[in-house]
Amino acid sequence: MLHGRRAEQAVIDRMLRDVLDSRPSALVMRGEAGIGKSALLDYAAANAQAHLLRATGVESEATLPFAALHSLLRPVLDRAEALPAQQSAALLGALGMGGASRGDRFLVGLATLNLLVELSSHQPLLCLIDDAQWMDGESADALMFAARRLHAEPVAVLFTARTGQDFPANGLPELWLSRLDDTAAARLLAERSGALPPAVRDQLLAEAQGNPLALLELPRMLTAEQRTGALAPHSFPSGAAEPVTDRVLAAFRDRITALPGASRAFLLLAALDDRGSLEVLARAAGALGVALADAAPAEHADLVRVAGDGV
Ligand SMILES: Nc1ncnc2c1ncn2[C@@H]1O[C@H](COP(=O)(O)OP(=O)(O)O)[C@@H](O)[C@H]1O
Ligand SMILES: [Mg+2]
């Protein structure tokens, strides 16, 4: 459950309603790391009565032309047949699935637009693109081209991008996610960390500055004595210059460093595989002499979750 995001949820609800009435919309949600961008995309996905297409920008693929478009459109590429031949050839070529052509960028944009429109003629369509700041430029151009040309089709496109990173909105509406207010922050902390002595709780709230990820992660850094209030959490000097997100990221690093080498190798593989298929991961791990059992310490440290056939 999301705390303190009523206004943002209302904006998303509105988009989801509009798309059912064939009023297309697009939005770029911006905010710092851990502020709740992905959580709001999950909210949109959970509440949409629409066909969903999702992709996440991956930093290591930011320079691979059309990598993000490929991951967004992969489930529906069989429908490219419905496009004019030139467009389908350009799109499939760009995605490495057709002839040798790397694709004319205008034709790829047009093909992307028309593929989304074709899909939406059967069912309203919602495209969610997380961490768009890491999308390769070619994919970003094609999706922006399409998003700007929707007029009366039931298609909604929602991007998220991290503050301070380059992802121009090109005239699309933008929504900046601010930090949670005090009430929402206190609720989130209470919900997830249970009872804490008031002084400790107040210090955590001050440190986290309304950043949800910090509210979830800072309490994990408390020692048992700090948790009971027997010892002040001096590890968080108040007014520290370091941004709270940097400290949270540093805490993740510490948790990773504390793992055995094989578990770290497993995490690295899991991070490199954007599909999270256990079968693929097991094969890659085997090639490195890493067993699936090596995931256990990382799972125990809440860094990864292995469930069913996915990671
Ligand atoms: N408003 C909120 N209420 C409760 N939990 C939240 C809220 N916003 C984010 N979270 C949780 O905080 C963590 C960080 O949020 P996330 O969406 O991953 O941030 P971002 O994508 O902006 O980096 C996640 O575990 C998420 O579920
Ligand atoms: Mg995110």
Side-chain angles (χ1 to χ4, degrees), residues 3 13 16 24 93 117 131 136 150 166 171 176 184 187 191 220 224 243 262 269 271 285-286 300-301:
H3 295 284
D13 291 343
L16 298 179
V117 169
D131 284 328
D136 59 278
L150 295 164
D166 192 31
W176 273 266
R187 284 210 186 113
E191 177 188 284
R220 304 176 59 101
L269 286 174
H300 194 69

Side-chain angles (χ1 to χ4, degrees), residues 139-279:
S139 297
D141 287 351
L143 287 170
M144 281 291 172
F145 178 95
R148 283 199 307 269
R149 279 167 182 76
L150 295 164
H151 292 302
E153 300 84 5
V155 181
V157 188
L158 193 47
F159 298 95
T160 72
R162 198 177 279 188
T163 312
Q165 305 239 6
D166 192 31
F167 179 68
N170 290 312
L172 296 184
E174 296 174 80
L175 179 67
W176 273 266
L177 300 184
S178 52
R179 294 170 167 195
L180 299 187
D181 66 28
D182 293 347
T183 318
R187 284 210 186 113
L188 176 52
L189 185 65
E191 177 188 284
R192 299 293 287 265
S193 337
L196 291 168
V200 175
R201 187 200 56 207
D202 290 350
Q203 187 168 350
L204 289 175
L205 287 172
E207 296 278 329
Q209 297 164 34
N211 180 293
L213 184 63
L215 287 162
L216 297 176
E217 290 300 322
L218 289 179
R220 304 176 59 101
M221 301 182 204
L222 296 173
T223 64
E225 290 102 324
Q226 288 170 340
R227 189 167 269 282
T228 57
L231 197 65
H234 52 72
S235 57
F236 313 137
S238 59
E242 197 184 359
V244 65
T245 44
D246 287 358
R247 247 179 304 153
V248 170
L249 294 179
F252 273 117
R253 261 195 302 275
D254 291 348
R255 258 150 73 195
I256 293 169
T257 315
L259 295 174
S263 304
R264 292 209 304 270
F266 179 88
L267 274 185
L268 180 60
L269 286 174
L272 288 171
D273 171 33
D274 66 342
R275 271 192 279 179
S277 146
L278 203 54
E279 192 197 324

Side-chain angles (χ1 to χ4, degrees), residues 37-38 130-131:
K37 301 180 293 298
S38 301
D130 205 3
D131 284 328

